[in-house]
Amino acid sequence: MKHWILPAMLLLLGSLAGCTKDTTVHSTSDSQGVMTQRQVLTLATSTPLTTLDADKMTKFGRLNNTIEGLYQTNRDGQTQLALAKRVQLNATKTTYTFKLWQDSRWSNGDTITAQDFVYAWRRALAPQTKAPEADLFLGIKNARQILAGDLPATQLGVHAKGRFTLVVTLDHPMVELPQRLAYPIFGPQNQRVATKWGAKYATQPKYQVYAGPFMVSSHGNTAKHWHLIPNPYYWDRKHVYLTRINVNVYHNQAQEWQDYQQGRLDEVRLQSKTDVKSAETQTTYTARPYSKMILITYRHHSSTSIPSQLLRQTTTRLAISHAVNRQALGRNTYGKSSLPAQGIVPAGLSRGLRGTTDFAASQPDQTALTYQPKVARQQWRQALKKVHRHRITLTLSYLDTTHGRLVATQLQKQLMTTLPGLTVRLKQRAQHLNGHSSPLNGDLNLNTQQAQYADPLAMLALFTTTNSANTTRWHNRDYDRLVAQASNATAFNTQRWRTLLKADGILMREQGVTPLFQPASTYLMNPHLNGVRFNTVGTLSNFKEAYFAR
């Protein structure tokens, strides 16, 4: 069976883990008195449970703890094998052969096989599914043609060789493939269960099975509450200590805050500037800067209107960038732990060969992101002159959330204060229950892009001409060529690093998009909660080894 290296304290606790099917298990304190008797975690969310289908999710949230794939992310942010016990590459690094553990099981006791991965990946790309994040499969043989509708999903470069050998064939070398495969969309799906339930599959907990350390209970779920319990067949279940994870849905921040203060919640996210400021000195305060970037995208290719003509100019976009005080914008909205953008790639996402150089700090043309009001005004007047205007009104679209409104109003104030003759009108766009938001409908659009894997390519590839995330439709042939060159590299080497830096330099010089800041979400947490793995990339919170200490 698999072996795991854990801190000494957790090794002491290994004998405490119990198995459960669909009931709450009450563990007893260990002989050293380290763990509390009650190991029940209660968390908050703003989104009701609408689907358990990984192919229909844009955010995995707490459900990340029900999914596991070939790789997982460890505490150092690096990938390590999970459901695969070993992997072999061919000489050209275009074929990965994974050997799976033969005793890994689904939450219903079924054995997890290579065919479960084949089925899941093909299903994600199939026209009737077309998962929102299906672009992550690009680079696997035939994925591009399948997404374009030119080939059936059965032609994807993945097949089972026996029950426990999975072969993945690529269009070209992809040194970042292990990082990608740690993302939940690459997890397996039980084909037998999916076939049995048909259209009902994954619509309710009783119609789904799970490969991760937890499963969604089939009982007690409502629009306001659902909960996770340990997966009784999880391969490493002896290191799962929580007996239950309650997830309560809140639409009222005041009620959420009150429940935390009264001990009914173990974590509360700080939403307002006032809450953040008052909590920053508390010992239970924590800030988590995720690998995502809040940015401005521009609508300028779909219309012959004056705003579109204006925004097509690189000078205009540079003026907007120089008009933004990123330090103040992040501090006044998400708190002082947020980081001003140095480029499109977030800080902490990727380091150089010897682990000494952060890509974000190395990004070129950072002067395009500096706050220079005088330069901004000069560039703005120059851009207005080319469209024969002294004044103009632009719309700024933002997501209708607390932070979305806050960033939009702060940005509106900064732009109108610095750029003469500019009026900015705010436009809301809705967030739907399935995680999708309404189409970007402003001349300027506040958007958030998150890196799903730990490599600069995770962000840079989003702005190539053909990527579906490139809603601005900014286009630069040299940029596309450099990203393609890095995508085809056979190793993490200096040449690949420099290629990615050159690509980012082009994006910043032209301000194809305008990065603003890297937000840090801030929380107060139960001080007795230990062992949670907070990732900065991909899915964010892993409770597999979490426990409450005395």
Side-chain angles (χ1 to χ4, degrees):
M1 189 58 192
K2 310 175 181 72
H3 299 282
W4 205 259
I5 299 174
L6 290 172
M9 180 180 289
L10 291 183
L11 288 174
L12 269 176
L13 306 176
S15 61
L16 291 173
C19 297
T20 180
K21 287 189 181 295
D22 205 21
T23 58
T24 299
V25 175
H26 297 285
S27 62
T28 58
S29 175
D30 73 300
S31 60
Q32 303 296 315
V34 175
M35 291 176 66
T36 59
Q37 184 173 2
R38 188 173 188 269
Q39 292 292 319
V40 178
L41 174 67
T42 303
L43 302 170
T45 183
S46 60
T47 307
L49 189 65
T50 57
T51 182
L52 297 168
D53 189 342
D55 289 338
K56 296 182 180 178
M57 299 178 194
T58 57
K59 295 180 181 178
F60 293 89
R62 311 305 187 191
L63 292 174
N64 169 50
N65 292 274
T66 68
I67 303 169
E68 194 159 286
L70 299 167
Y71 291 91
Q72 63 182 354
T73 305
N74 64 20
R75 292 189 180 277
D76 297 323
Q78 303 301 311
T79 54
Q80 61 187 37
L81 291 171
L83 293 181
K85 65 178 178 179
R86 65 176 180 270
V87 59
Q88 293 180 323
L89 277 72
N90 68 347
T92 60
K93 299 186 179 181
T94 55
T95 301
Y96 285 65
T97 301
F98 294 94
K99 295 289 184 180
L100 307 185
W101 295 98
Q102 296 186 21
D103 51 1
S104 294
R105 295 184 180 276
W106 292 98
S107 57
N108 66 346
D110 288 354
T111 300
I112 298 174
T113 68
Q115 183 57 36
D116 291 328
F117 284 92
V118 175
Y119 171 74
W121 293 12
R122 288 176 176 175
R123 181 178 183 269
L125 270 67
Q128 60 269 34
T129 307
K130 207 159 188 180
E133 297 184 306
D135 280 350
L136 284 171
F137 286 88
L138 292 174
I140 297 177
K141 186 176 180 181
N142 294 331
R144 188 175 298 279
Q145 295 93 319
I146 294 168
L147 288 173
D150 297 329
L151 285 176
T154 54
Q155 295 301 304
L156 185 67
V158 58
H159 70 273
K161 191 176 179 181
R163 293 193 76 201
F164 302 107
T165 301
L166 182 72
V167 181
V168 180
T169 306
L170 309 178
D171 287 326
H172 52 76
M174 292 170 61
V175 293
E176 79 283 0
L177 185 66
Q179 283 84 351
R180 289 199 195 197
L181 295 184
Y183 197 64
I185 197 173
F186 290 100
Q189 296 197 44
N190 189 314
Q191 183 174 4
R192 186 184 70 82
V193 171
T195 302
K196 174 183 177 181
W197 294 117
K200 293 182 179 179
Y201 173 65
T203 57
Q204 297 181 37
K206 62 183 177 181
Y207 302 134
Q208 179 61 295
V209 292
Y210 310 89
F214 292 93
M215 54 189 276
V216 181
S217 171
S218 295
H219 303 294
N221 297 307
T222 68
K224 297 182 179 181
H225 169 86
W226 50 279
H227 60 274
L228 303 168
I229 55 178
N231 175 354
Y233 294 101
Y234 181 60
W235 65 268
D236 197 29
R237 57 191 174 275
K238 68 180 180 178
H239 292 131
V240 177
Y241 308 111
L242 294 175
T243 59
R244 179 174 171 129
I245 301 176
N246 294 318
V247 184
N248 297 332
V249 180
Y250 288 86
H251 300 297
N252 185 307
Q253 293 171 16
Q255 184 63 53
E256 184 176 341
W257 179 255
Q258 180 180 338
D259 283 357
Y260 174 79
Q261 290 179 314
Q262 295 180 357
R264 293 193 290 266
L265 272 178
D266 294 302
E267 177 187 81
V268 62
R269 184 177 178 184
L270 304 172
Q271 299 280 8
S272 71
K273 291 188 294 182
T274 303
D275 288 343
V276 172
K277 188 173 182 179
S278 64
E280 283 175 335
T281 58
Q282 297 186 36
T283 57
T284 54
Y285 173 85
T286 177
R288 303 171 198 158
Y290 298 140
S291 291
K292 60 184 179 182
M293 191 67 68
I294 293 179
L295 48 86
I296 301 172
T297 62
Y298 301 95
R299 181 175 62 181
H300 54 74
H301 285 291
S302 59
S303 173
T304 58
S305 67
I306 296 299
S308 292
Q309 292 178 31
L310 180 68
L311 293 171
R312 273 198 288 268
Q313 299 180 57
T314 301
T315 304
T316 304
R317 303 192 297 271
L318 283 168
I320 290 171
S321 180
H322 289 311
V324 179
N325 184 334
R326 289 167 170 79
Q327 185 80 46
L329 185 62
R331 183 181 64 243
N332 293 336
T333 54
Y334 278 81
K336 65 182 182 182
S337 298
S338 297
L339 304 174
Q342 297 171 285
I344 195 60
V345 177
L349 180 66
S350 183
R351 292 190 174 274
L353 292 177
R354 284 176 283 277
T356 55
T357 306
D358 182 63
F359 189 92
S362 305
Q363 291 173 97
D365 296 291
Q366 295 189 16
T367 54
L369 304 181
T370 56
Y371 177 48
Q372 300 183 71
K374 184 177 179 179
V375 172
R377 284 190 286 272
Q378 291 173 344
Q379 291 173 325
W380 182 251
R381 290 190 180 101
Q382 179 184 343
L384 282 179
K385 186 176 181 179
K386 287 190 176 181
V387 294
H388 310 291
R389 290 289 189 276
H390 296 290
R391 297 182 177 278
I392 195 164
T393 297
L394 298 177
T395 55
L396 172 62
S397 168
Y398 67 95
L399 199 59
D400 187 21
T401 62
T402 300
H403 281 110
R405 289 190 294 272
L406 198 55
V407 175
T409 54
Q410 292 281 324
L411 182 60
Q412 177 192 42
K413 181 179 179 181
Q414 287 194 13
L415 294 179
M416 290 179 61
T417 299
T418 303
L419 301 178
L422 174 62
T423 298
V424 177
R425 291 181 179 168
L426 301 183
K427 293 179 65 175
Q428 293 181 0
R429 61 180 190 273
Q431 175 78 53
H432 301 306
L433 290 179
N434 61 6
H436 296 281
S437 62
S438 300
L440 304 181
N441 58 355
D443 300 312
L444 314 177
N445 298 278
L446 273 174
N447 200 10
T448 302
Q449 289 289 358
Q450 180 174 323
Q452 286 110 336
Y453 56 95
D455 187 79
L457 202 60
M459 293 296 284
L460 293 168
L462 298 174
F463 305 104
T464 54
T465 301
T466 57
N467 195 290
S468 60
N470 184 10
T471 55
T472 295
R473 291 194 287 168
W474 172 78
H475 169 68
N476 183 288
R477 290 182 180 178
D478 288 336
Y479 181 85
D480 289 350
R481 176 181 55 80
L482 290 167
V483 170
Q485 185 177 327
S487 299
N488 284 270
T490 58
F492 289 109
N493 53 29
T494 302
Q495 181 179 352
R496 183 179 186 271
W497 186 261
R498 290 173 177 169
T499 299
L500 291 167
L501 286 172
K502 286 180 182 177
D504 188 80
I506 292 172
L507 183 62
M508 291 302 95
R509 282 195 298 275
E510 294 198 5
Q511 286 296 288
V513 294
T514 295
L516 298 175
F517 62 92
Q518 182 178 350
S521 296
T522 51
Y523 298 84
L524 291 180
M525 288 186 60
N526 186 325
H528 298 286
L529 180 62
N530 292 269
V532 184
R533 185 186 307 164
F534 295 114
N535 301 319
T536 59
V537 67
T539 53
L540 305 177
S541 301
N542 187 322
F543 295 102
K544 172 186 170 180
E545 298 168 9
Y547 64 95
F548 286 97
R550 289 186 180 274

